[in-house]
Structures are given as C-alpha cells and as structure tokens.
Amino acid sequence: MFAYTVRRLIMLIPVLIGMSILVFSIIHLIPGDPAKTLLGEKASPEVLEKMREDLGLNDPLLVQYKNYMVNLLQGDLGTSIKTKRSISEEIKPYLAATVELTFFAMLFAVIVGVNAGIIAAWKQNSWFDYIAMLIALIGVSMPVFWLGLMEQYIFAQKLQWLPSIGRDSILNPINSITNFYIIDTVIQGDFDGLKQILKHLILPSIALGTIPMAIIARMTRSSMLEVMKADYIRTARAKGVAQFFLVYKHALKNAFIPVLTVVGLQTGLLLGGAVLTETIFAWPGVGKYLYDAISVRDYPVIQSGILMIATIFVIINLIVDLLYSAIDPRIRYQ
Amino acid sequence: MSQLQHKVETTFATIPKKESLWLDAWKRLRRRKLAMLGGGIVLFFIILAVLAPVLTPYPYDGAELSQRFIKPMEEGHWLGTDDLGRDLFTRIVYGAQISLRVGFLAVVGSIIVGTYLGLVAGYYGKWIDMIISRVFDIMLAFPSILLAIAIVTILGRSLTNALIAIAIINVPTYGRLVRSKVLSLKEEEFIMAAKAIGMKNWRIIYHHLLPNSMTPIIVQGTLGIATAIIETAALGFLGLGAVPPTPEWGTMLADSKDYIQLAPWTVIFPGLSIMLVVLGFNLLGDGLRDALDPKMKQ
C-alpha cells in the first residue's frame, strides 16, 4: 500500500506541473497586452509600464513561470486587481464555504442515492423501482442551474419555507472563527445559528447533489443486482439470514466498491457544478468568487480560482484511488 | 458437376442469412422502449429546429415592450413573452437550432481530434503515447466546466468560442476511449496479419483500427451531445456563451432569472427544453450502448 501511494504521488507531479503551466498561460494567451487588458484601454503609458513591471511581464516567459511557481509554492497566489488584497488570504473563507457546501451535497447524494439504489434492487420491478429509476433518469439530465432556480422559486419564494440565497442570515450573521460555519456555531453553542446555517444549506446542497444522487442510485442498483446473484448470497439466504441483513450487511459490502468509485468521481465533478450552484444561491464560495472575477475580468483571481478548484479535484481523485485500492487490493497490482 | 453444385447450394441455403451489424443493432434498439422514447424526443426537437421559421410568425429578437410578460396561452403566445416582449415559443424553437447545432458540432470536433490522437497514441505507443496520455491526464485534472471557463476567458465571449471550448474539453474522453480500444485491437490476429503482409501503418490505422473503434465512439458521442448541450447552456448562463439577443437556452435563463417571481414561465420553459433534449440524448445513448455492444453494459 505504501509503495502504491508513493507511486500515485509521483505520478501526480507531471499533472500538477501541467496544470500550473495551463493556468499560468491564461493571462499570456489572452490576445493583446495583458497590462492593457487588466487596466483598460484608457490607461496612460506610464501606468501600463508600471503594471508590466509589477506583473513581471518584461521578463522572459521562463523567468516569469519560475517566479510564478516560486510564489505559488510559498502559498502566494498573487493580488486581486479589484480588491487589491492578497488572494491567498482572501480566498480562505470562500474555500471553506465551498467545502461545506460540497460536503453536504455529497452527504445528500450518498444517503439518498445509495438507499434508493438498494431498495430499487431489493424490490426489483416494483413501483418503487420504476419511480426511483425514473427520478434518477430525470436527475441525470437536469441542468443544475435550472434546478437551483426552480427550488428557489418553489421553496423560497412560493412556499417561503427556506431562505433562497446566502450562507447565513443577514440579520443574525455568524461570528466566524474557522470559516466553517457549522463548526463555528457548534463551538460557540449557538444552536439558533446552527439551525439557520442548516436551513441555508438545504436548497443549494440538494441542487448540487441531485446529479450525483441520480448516478449513485443507478450504480448502486445495478451493482446490487449483480451481487445478489452471487453464490455466497444464496448460501446466506439458505442459512436463514433475514432479508434486511442480507441486503445491507452481506450484499452491500461487495456492491459498494464500484459505488465508491462513482462517489469519488462525482465529488470531483461537484466542484464544477459548485461554480453554477454558488452563482445562483449567492453562496460565497470559490465558484462565486471565480464568477465575480470573470465578470470584472480580474485575471489573477480567475487564475487562482481555477487552480484552487483543480487542485482540490486532483486531491479528491487521489484519495478515491487510494481508498479504492485499500478496499480492493487487486487494483494495486495492475 | 451439377451434383456438386446442388450440394453446395443446399448447404448454403441451410446457413441462416447473416444480418449486418447495423440492422441487427437497429432491431435490438427498436425493442428498447426507453431508447425509442429518447429518439422520439430528439426527433421532436430536430423537427422544431428545422421548421422554426414555419412554426412561428414572430422574430426571435423582435423586442416589443408593450407585450412584456404576457402569460402562456394568452394573446397568441403559446408560451408567453419575456421581459422584452419577445415570444418565448419562438425563442425556444430557434434556441433548439442553436443547442442542437452546437452540441452536434462540438461532439464531432471532439471526436475527430480525440479519435486521431487516440489512434496515434494507441498504435505507436512509446513516447508519443506518453505525451498524448499525459496531456489527457492534465486536461482531465480540471472539472470540465472550469476548463471551458478558462478557454472562453482566453478566447473571449461568443457562441463559437463556447463551442470550441466544449469541443476541446471533451477531446480526452474520446481520445482515451479510442486509445484503449486500439491497445486491445493491436493484439488481435487480423492486425498482426496485416502487419505481416507488409501493410503500411496509415492503412492499418484507417482501414482496420478506425472502423473497429467506431462502436464505442458512436455510443459515447450520443451521450456526449447531451453533455455538450448542458455545457453550452452552463456557459451561456454564466455569461460566457452566446451574446443576447441570440436565443440560446442558457443565456435565456440567465436573462430571465431576475423575473422568476413575476414571470416564472420565462425560466420554466427554457430549462425544461434543456432537460428534455438532454434526457432524450441520454436515453438514446443508453439504448445504443445496449444495442450496439451488449458487453459494454454495466
């Protein structure tokens, strides 16, 4: 396992370097003078020259890349043009908000998806099976941004059950310590605050989690159907194991391996969906941070936002690979 | 002689007539109700898109402020009007033209480039394979919509650039698929035989490897159109795709989202259209997978 982990980590190096080159290129591939793009057409030549100097644009490309990497490795993501603040500092609360949202979206997707898949397989060809799979089919085809808008319309505006935007109540903002609001409210014993935070989490988590939920449900169902045919299940049944334990204890263990891969893959993909979900729900995460930067052409923030999300994506994929090989040792020897 | 001829004829007559792969696949596809439903949905939207000028008397970009927010089925507007008084049905059918065209062209673009790279990587192996595969790895290290955002940021906002971005981000999907298929085909006897008789590399690639890799590409391509349509709409929604007044569905959603309480239909119908077309392609793609290659079914 250790050797495999090391091998996977080494394989990650060229990918991370490639990613950094790609992200570094964004600002250099934009046609025209980056300084002019950043400052606008009306900027004076002196200001433009100073900007070029500040950005290091007068240096050869290789030197620029080297400086960029040195800064990056020291945790310096550059400075936002709009706010003039360090991106590394500015991005922290956004990052925490995205992690919190992604976690709850995946929690929703796994709990609902896995159980729906299990019951659909257990009661194969029943009305539950048909309805669950129909919902899953529609869920896979659902544009996340439209689902979010519809949720807002129905649950926030029409029924007024849940808040439609934001991460906490404007009237009663959370006193943040860790940037993770759930943890903050628990530490401070602010259970009214916790209730508010959870209410704010429901709609965006469901919007973001619906597609993975649908995919997980379909995967769990087909995987369970396969495992339920196995000899050891028949043996267990012959021994008189109750159906519930047969399904949840015996079959699920083996059926869960392919499901886990899907869960991991989908967690990574959620980060892409987060850009859209956060935009709709005004959720102050990295996706929203990136979206706001796009609209004002804040290129350093766009670069850092993309790099940040891509890095988390790569790390999640690595964790899934390692987890997968821990569960199924055959993977390591391939 | 005639006895022998008769024997040969009767022998051949007893062998059942072999159907072509496509006819066989079509027969299997026809039996799958969900796939046919998907095909029906896709066909419906294709007809809408083609007949758009005949189906509606309104122009898709004709703003008429006196006609703002007319409810569906009122004053001759089947699906109502939007914030600028434009007929929503008109914009949706013209939007179908855009979504289907962009989805199709983006997938064709990805398939051409991806297949070529996959064939070369898989067939030649060694350093060519290593370089191509690493580039694919790097591209797949980004959530796809994010890579599309980066590309459109570089190229500038337009529908064509969104199409190019979507085509680029999906190249590794087809590239990897073809590469893995070629790797397994390379070990087959007919490829070894082709090599043994001195067939040139390009001939082996185009006459043997390419036709034999087509099935998974077609299946993935059908499912890929669904993804490409959603990605186009997502870019449009983020303000990185089509420029108004182009009736692209995602852009329409972005323009109408502020009026959701006042005129929910302006948000409901474009979104519903995206969902239905995507559902159609997903159902058709799933059905094709089962029909063309039952072994691929999970």
Side-chain angles (χ1 to χ4, degrees):
Chain A
M1 189 67 205
F2 178 72
Y4 178 77
T5 311
V6 171
R7 207 167 67 219
R8 284 292 285 109
L9 282 172
I10 292 172
M11 273 163 65
L12 211 61
I13 295 170
V15 172
L16 287 174
I17 292 174
M19 263 167 54
S20 70
I21 293 175
L22 214 143
V23 171
F24 169 76
S25 316
I26 292 177
I27 212 158
H28 294 89
L29 286 175
I30 296 163
D33 179 2
K36 205 176 262 177
T37 319
L38 297 177
L39 291 172
E41 290 293 326
K42 288 178 187 156
S44 69
E46 296 78 39
V47 179
L48 280 174
E49 187 48 42
K50 187 168 180 307
M51 186 67 168
R52 270 188 218 113
E53 199 56 46
D54 286 351
L55 289 174
L57 292 170
N58 293 332
D59 298 330
L61 263 185
L62 271 177
V63 176
Q64 286 185 43
Y65 178 68
K66 194 198 90 192
N67 292 338
Y68 172 75
M69 280 309 282
V70 168
N71 288 337
L72 206 61
L73 291 173
Q74 289 171 349
D76 179 4
L77 293 168
T79 313
S80 158
I81 294 170
K82 192 181 152 205
T83 62
K84 310 271 183 283
R85 285 175 56 201
S86 155
I87 298 173
S88 324
E89 277 308 308
E90 208 176 54
I91 207 166
K92 280 180 192 161
Y94 292 105
L95 210 54
T98 298
V99 171
E100 210 167 65
L101 175 61
T102 316
F103 177 77
F104 276 90
M106 213 55 215
L107 198 68
F108 162 76
V110 171
I111 293 176
V112 179
V114 169
N115 284 299
I118 290 173
I119 299 171
W122 182 354
K123 311 268 179 204
Q124 197 190 357
N125 298 329
S126 67
W127 63 267
F128 181 89
D129 184 18
Y130 290 132
I131 292 176
M133 286 307 112
L134 183 73
I135 294 173
L137 255 173
I138 294 172
V140 175
S141 313
M142 188 76 83
V144 54
F145 41 96
W146 184 61
L147 178 63
L149 287 172
M150 288 291 104
E151 279 182 5
Q152 275 181 338
Y153 176 62
I154 298 169
F155 296 103
Q157 291 170 357
K158 281 272 154 193
L159 300 170
Q160 300 197 336
W161 287 352
L162 295 162
S164 68
I165 54 164
R167 203 177 162 199
D168 59 351
S169 164
I170 305 167
L171 301 172
N172 185 21
I174 298 298
N175 183 18
S176 180
I177 306 167
T178 61
N179 290 324
F180 293 96
Y181 284 7
I182 298 272
I183 299 175
D184 286 341
T185 47
V186 172
I187 293 173
Q188 294 168 17
D190 177 6
F191 291 103
D192 278 339
L194 180 65
K195 213 170 112 189
Q196 274 302 319
I197 300 303
L198 289 174
K199 270 185 162 181
H200 277 86
L201 263 166
I202 293 176
L203 291 183
S205 300
I206 293 177
L208 188 57
T210 295
I211 296 176
M213 181 266 284
I215 296 174
I216 291 168
R218 289 175 65 163
M219 191 70 202
T220 310
R221 179 181 179 272
S222 68
S223 181
M224 281 296 280
L225 284 177
E226 192 113 328
V227 172
M228 291 296 275
K229 283 187 224 141
D231 286 345
Y232 80 95
I233 293 291
R234 201 168 26 175
T235 312
R237 191 174 279 141
K239 276 197 320 186
V241 175
Q243 183 73 7
F244 179 83
F245 292 105
L246 194 76
V247 171
Y248 276 89
K249 200 172 159 218
H250 294 249
L252 188 61
K253 246 184 206 166
N254 274 312
F256 205 65
I257 296 171
V259 177
L260 184 70
T261 326
V262 177
V263 171
L265 268 173
Q266 291 301 317
T267 311
L269 292 177
L270 271 191
L271 295 165
V275 179
L276 294 154
T277 315
E278 289 175 2
T279 310
I280 296 160
F281 289 97
W283 186 265
V286 186
K288 178 84 171 49
Y289 186 51
L290 189 64
Y291 174 76
D292 291 342
I294 292 168
S295 50
V296 294
R297 303 192 137 229
D298 192 342
Y299 291 106
V301 173
I302 299 178
Q303 273 187 330
S304 310
I306 291 178
L307 191 70
M308 215 56 181
I309 298 179
T311 310
I312 304 174
F313 185 53
V314 171
I315 293 171
I316 290 174
N317 285 342
L318 176 75
I319 295 172
V320 172
D321 266 7
L322 296 179
L323 218 60
Y324 193 40
S325 71
I327 293 178
D328 188 353
R330 284 169 297 182
I331 304 288
R332 270 176 265 161
Y333 303 109
Q334 273 180 10
Chain B
M1 185 64 196
S2 68
Q3 214 175 1
L4 181 67
Q5 198 175 3
H6 177 72
K7 202 173 173 189
V8 170
E9 273 169 12
T10 46
T11 311
F12 273 99
T14 55
I15 298 172
K17 221 179 185 178
K18 204 166 178 243
E19 283 168 347
S20 78
L21 169 77
W22 296 107
L23 188 69
D24 200 32
W26 165 243
K27 281 189 174 165
R28 255 177 294 172
L29 185 68
R30 224 172 34 185
R31 278 200 298 269
R32 305 194 72 87
K33 284 192 195 110
L34 281 178
M36 293 319 284
L37 175 69
I41 295 173
V42 171
L43 195 67
F44 172 72
F45 275 94
I46 291 176
I47 292 171
L48 273 189
V50 173
L51 297 180
V54 188
L55 287 174
T56 163
Y58 304 101
Y60 66 76
D61 54 354
E64 186 67 62
L65 292 178
S66 62
Q67 302 274 300
R68 293 178 78 200
F69 299 133
I70 293 175
K71 284 185 181 161
M73 306 305 283
E74 282 180 14
E75 297 180 37
H77 296 285
W78 289 1
L79 302 181
T81 60
D82 67 3
D83 57 312
L84 294 175
R86 296 171 297 195
D87 180 59
L88 207 61
F89 176 72
T90 307
R91 288 180 64 75
I92 284 178
V93 290
Y94 278 99
Q97 282 185 355
I98 295 172
S99 287
L100 291 173
R101 194 173 58 221
V102 172
F104 182 75
L105 289 178
V107 166
V108 169
S110 320
I111 288 180
I112 292 173
V113 180
T115 305
Y116 179 74
L117 292 175
L119 283 170
V120 170
Y123 186 72
Y124 290 104
K126 293 179 190 156
W127 62 271
I128 299 184
D129 182 24
M130 212 195 72
I131 292 175
I132 293 175
S133 295
R134 284 300 86 76
V135 172
F136 286 168
D137 283 349
I138 291 164
M139 289 176 75
L140 290 169
F142 289 87
S144 58
I145 191 76
L146 214 60
L147 198 56
I149 290 175
I151 295 168
V152 178
T153 308
I154 294 167
L155 298 177
R157 175 188 183 175
S158 80
L159 190 60
T160 315
N161 290 343
L163 190 157
I164 295 171
I166 292 163
I168 294 175
I169 59 173
N170 288 312
V171 163
T173 313
Y174 301 96
R176 279 199 161 179
L177 195 68
V178 174
R179 179 182 169 272
S180 66
K181 184 83 190 166
V182 170
L183 284 181
S184 67
L185 281 174
K186 236 166 63 170
E187 306 302 321
E188 297 273 339
E189 281 165 358
F190 72 100
I191 297 293
M192 283 187 207
K195 274 186 188 166
I197 59 166
M199 196 179 267
K200 288 201 169 64
N201 282 337
W202 66 266
R203 211 179 147 80
I204 296 179
I205 290 177
Y206 291 106
H207 286 254
H208 293 291
L209 294 177
L210 184 61
N212 278 296
S213 314
M214 280 321 276
T215 318
I217 295 177
I218 290 168
V219 172
Q220 187 60 45
T222 314
L223 293 166
I225 294 179
T227 318
I229 288 174
I230 285 209
E231 282 162 349
T232 315
L235 284 178
F237 186 77
L238 289 173
L240 291 168
V243 183
T246 313
E248 193 277 314
W249 292 338
T251 316
M252 283 166 72
L253 276 179
D255 291 344
S256 318
K257 68 175 193 296
D258 296 334
Y259 309 109
I260 190 167
Q261 210 155 7
L262 188 65
W265 59 91
T266 57
V267 177
I268 292 173
F269 294 121
L272 209 57
S273 309
I274 302 174
M275 200 199 77
L276 278 174
V277 174
V278 171
L279 181 67
F281 277 108
N282 276 337
L283 290 176
L284 188 63
D286 273 353
L288 272 175
R289 174 169 49 206
D290 300 344
L292 282 169
D293 191 354
K295 275 181 285 179
M296 275 172 75
K297 197 181 167 191
Q298 288 257 327

